[in-house]
Amino acid sequence: MGATTTTGTEPLGGPLGGPRSAQLWSKVPQVTAGFWVVKVLTTGMGETTSDYLARTLGPVPAVAGAMVLLAAALFAQARAGRYRPAVYWAAVVMVSVFGTMAADVAHVALGVPYAVSAGAFTLALAAVFRVWHRTEGTLAVETVRGGRREVFYWAAVMATFALGTAVGDLTAATLGWGYLPSGLLFAALIAVPALGHRLLRLPPVLAFWWAYVLTRPLGACFADWAGVGRERGGLDLGTGPVSLVLAGLIVLAVLALAAGERRRG
């Protein structure tokens, strides 16, 4: 799925903020097909990496380490003057890992059912959107150029990852649908905002964030399906190897995006 201007006059896949000169100063990438590919890869990697680290290091060291790396990644992103592919996507990866841990800790350590945590994260995301919109007047991501908007943006991203994790585990585990069927379900659902935008003039900002939330359970369900054991309906490839493969794919995809930025620049 791509994106468009907030006026809806450009096709999906074009710049979010209109002229290329405006997009140059944004601190988030232009929303193209490549953006969505990398986003889904990061969600899958975050899921399996979180599980792998929690098992090998233990929950407390894993969460503490992820929190430190997340803070470092967000600090580097805040210091960047504009969108830098490696810096931005490193931050997204760490948000993915930590967001997964946040949802898993709520369920495993605190005993909160996924249905409850999904509802709580939905309310948290809605609260972020409401305050962001009331303060800045827009939720369009091409306007994120530092300051308060960047804080709101990353708060929303964190909430979407936690929400998507809870929803994916709700369908796959609590409802017993399994990882592969759940992944196929979210693959179908993620087409809804794209078709709604193209055919029904669904507002582009709404379409973007709708799809953004769904990328999390989509990538996570397929990654879990590849990594978990056959007794859980998976391919039993192991969460460690799946994480390494996804990390390699992310690096290659980000390099491709960076090369495209240089060509356009």
Side-chain angles (χ1 to χ4, degrees):
M1 175 179 169
T4 181
T5 63
T6 54
T7 60
T9 58
E10 294 188 10
L12 265 66
L16 276 168
R20 172 66 184 164
S21 59
Q23 185 69 31
L24 282 172
W25 297 105
S26 177
K27 296 190 69 176
V28 301
Q30 193 174 0
V31 182
T32 62
F35 171 90
W36 293 111
V37 169
V38 182
K39 176 62 170 62
V40 172
L41 290 174
T42 64
T43 65
M45 181 189 171
E47 179 70 23
T48 54
T49 300
S50 173
D51 292 344
Y52 178 76
L53 292 177
R55 285 202 310 273
T56 56
L57 301 179
V60 174
V63 171
M67 186 179 297
V68 170
L69 291 175
L70 172 62
L74 291 178
F75 177 76
Q77 169 66 17
R79 291 291 301 272
R82 51 161 293 197
Y83 166 62
R84 306 291 182 187
V87 175
Y88 173 85
W89 288 110
V92 172
V93 166
M94 289 315 306
V95 169
S96 178
V97 173
F98 187 77
T100 301
M101 290 180 175
D104 287 345
V105 165
H107 179 73
V108 177
L110 303 180
V112 178
Y114 284 123
V116 174
S117 58
F121 290 132
T122 298
L123 293 176
L125 180 60
V128 171
F129 282 154
R130 179 171 177 79
V131 175
W132 182 0
H133 191 270
R134 286 177 64 88
T135 303
E136 302 295 329
T138 179
L139 302 179
V141 296
E142 77 274 16
T143 66
V144 176
R145 299 172 185 170
R148 291 183 306 189
R149 290 187 183 183
E150 188 170 16
V151 174
F152 285 129
Y153 173 78
W154 286 105
V157 169
M158 180 71 75
T160 65
F161 272 96
L163 170 59
T165 298
V167 171
D169 286 334
L170 174 65
T171 61
T174 303
L175 298 181
W177 295 355
Y179 295 111
L180 180 58
S182 294
L184 294 174
L185 169 66
F186 292 117
L189 289 177
I190 204 169
V192 174
L195 293 175
H197 175 78
R198 289 184 183 277
L199 303 178
L200 303 176
R201 293 188 175 275
L202 186 70
V205 173
L206 174 59
F208 170 82
W209 284 110
W210 184 347
Y212 199 94
V213 170
L214 289 174
T215 58
R216 175 58 189 171
L218 171 64
C221 285
F222 280 115
D224 271 334
W225 173 62
V228 302
R230 298 187 185 279
E231 72 281 359
R232 297 172 60 189
L235 298 179
D236 201 20
L237 299 179
T239 54
V242 171
S243 298
L244 288 176
V245 170
L246 291 173
L249 292 175
I250 290 169
V251 169
L252 292 175
V254 171
L255 289 174
L257 290 178
E261 285 288 318
R262 288 193 295 270
R263 286 194 299 269
R264 288 192 297 269

